[in-house]
Amino acid sequence: AKLAAEKPQSAETGPVDAPVANEPPSEEKPAVEAPPAEDVPPAEGVPPAENVPPAEDLPVELAAEKPVGEVPTGAVFIMSGFWEQEYLVQSANDDGEGRRSISTALKTEDADLQLSWTTTALEGGRYTITDSSGFYLYAAQLDDGEGRRYIHTWINGGAAEEDPQGIWLINPHPAKPGTFTLRPSNVGEGKEYMYVYSGEGDHRIFSWMSGGDASEDQQADWIIVAQE
C-alpha cells in the first residue's frame, strides 16, 4: 500500500491501496503453489511456448540485444512471453489516488509512451522500473483475496529506489535467453513473482503470492530488450 510511512519524506503520499474497480474475473490458480506453465489451462488462442517469437523475429525496435543472462538497463521494452507480441503497458488514466493499472497489450501508434520503461540497476541484483515521467512500478500491499497481489505504477512522486515497494528482483530465465522473471523484493520473502492474467478481457498484471518456481510458469516469462 502507499502508506505515508513508506514514502520518502519529501514525496506526496497516497491513501492505502484499495482494489481497483472492474478487476478481471479470477483465473484458476492452485491454492498453494503455482503449477508449471504447461499445467495452467491457457485461454483460447494463447500461443504455446514454442511459438514465442525468437529474438530475430521481434520488431525492428527490439533488435538490440544484451549478452545472454544480462539484464538490459536504460530504456527498454518489456514483453510478455505468454501473450505473443504484447507489451507491458500502464493505463493512460489513474484511479484518482495515485495509481495506474498495469497490463499487457499489442503495440499501437499512440501508446509508445505507455509501453516504454527504464530499468535501473541497484545493489544486490535489485532494480527499479520507471516510465519516462519517473512514475514507478510497484507491488501493492493489498491483494484480491485469491492469491493475486495488485501491481500498479505510482504517480504521486517520490524516488523508486527509496520505496521498498518499488524495488524488483530480476533474474534471467535458466532455459530461455532474453527472458527474465520479476519478483517484488519487499513482500513474500522474495518468493512471489509477477505474471500476466490468462483469462479473457484485460491481461492484467499481478504478483502470484503462493510461491512456486516462476521459471516453470510461462505466464511469468518477461522478454526485456533494450531500445535502440
Side-chain angles (χ1 to χ4, degrees):
K2 286 297 153 197
L3 300 177
E6 296 173 352
K7 302 297 298 176
Q9 293 299 317
S10 60
E12 295 179 45
T13 58
V16 176
D17 279 294
V20 176
N22 300 320
E23 289 295 333
S26 303
E27 80 271 40
E28 291 186 1
K29 285 273 190 177
V32 177
E33 183 172 287
E38 60 267 23
D39 292 335
V40 178
E44 183 177 356
V46 175
E50 60 269 21
N51 289 338
V52 175
E56 60 268 21
D57 292 334
L58 293 174
V60 173
E61 67 270 24
L62 301 181
E65 296 182 0
K66 288 281 187 178
V68 173
E70 181 179 349
V71 178
T73 55
V76 299
F77 293 112
I78 303 176
M79 298 177 66
S80 170
F82 183 76
W83 293 105
E84 186 174 2
Q85 296 294 305
E86 289 200 357
Y87 292 72
L88 186 72
V89 299
Q90 62 178 314
S91 61
N93 300 314
D94 62 85
D95 65 355
E97 298 182 343
R99 296 176 290 265
R100 287 183 176 175
S101 61
I102 304 297
S103 60
T104 63
L106 295 171
K107 182 179 180 180
T108 59
E109 292 301 322
D110 61 351
D112 289 350
L113 290 179
Q114 278 71 48
L115 59 82
S116 180
W117 301 94
T118 297
T119 53
T120 302
L122 307 175
E123 295 181 352
R126 290 168 167 77
Y127 297 81
T128 59
I129 304 173
T130 58
D131 72 358
S132 59
S133 299
F135 305 155
Y136 58 87
L137 195 72
Y138 80 96
Q141 288 188 359
L142 290 186
D143 60 84
D144 69 351
E146 297 183 3
R148 291 176 286 268
R149 184 183 303 281
Y150 299 116
I151 303 295
H152 306 291
T153 48
W154 180 248
I155 70 172
N156 277 0
E161 64 271 18
E162 296 179 4
D163 185 346
Q165 291 176 253
I167 297 176
W168 295 84
L169 305 174
I170 304 179
N171 295 300
H173 194 287
K176 300 177 183 178
T179 299
F180 302 85
T181 58
L182 282 72
R183 296 177 180 271
S185 68
N186 72 309
V187 291
E189 299 180 345
K191 297 179 181 179
E192 295 187 17
Y193 58 82
M194 192 175 89
Y195 78 101
V196 62
Y197 179 72
S198 66
E200 298 179 357
D202 291 341
H203 298 159
R204 288 290 304 276
I205 304 302
F206 300 95
S207 178
W208 180 242
M209 301 170 62
S210 296
D213 187 347
S215 66
E216 295 182 0
D217 185 347
Q218 191 187 357
Q219 290 171 251
D221 287 352
W222 298 101
I223 303 166
I224 304 178
V225 186
Q227 297 182 35
E228 291 187 330

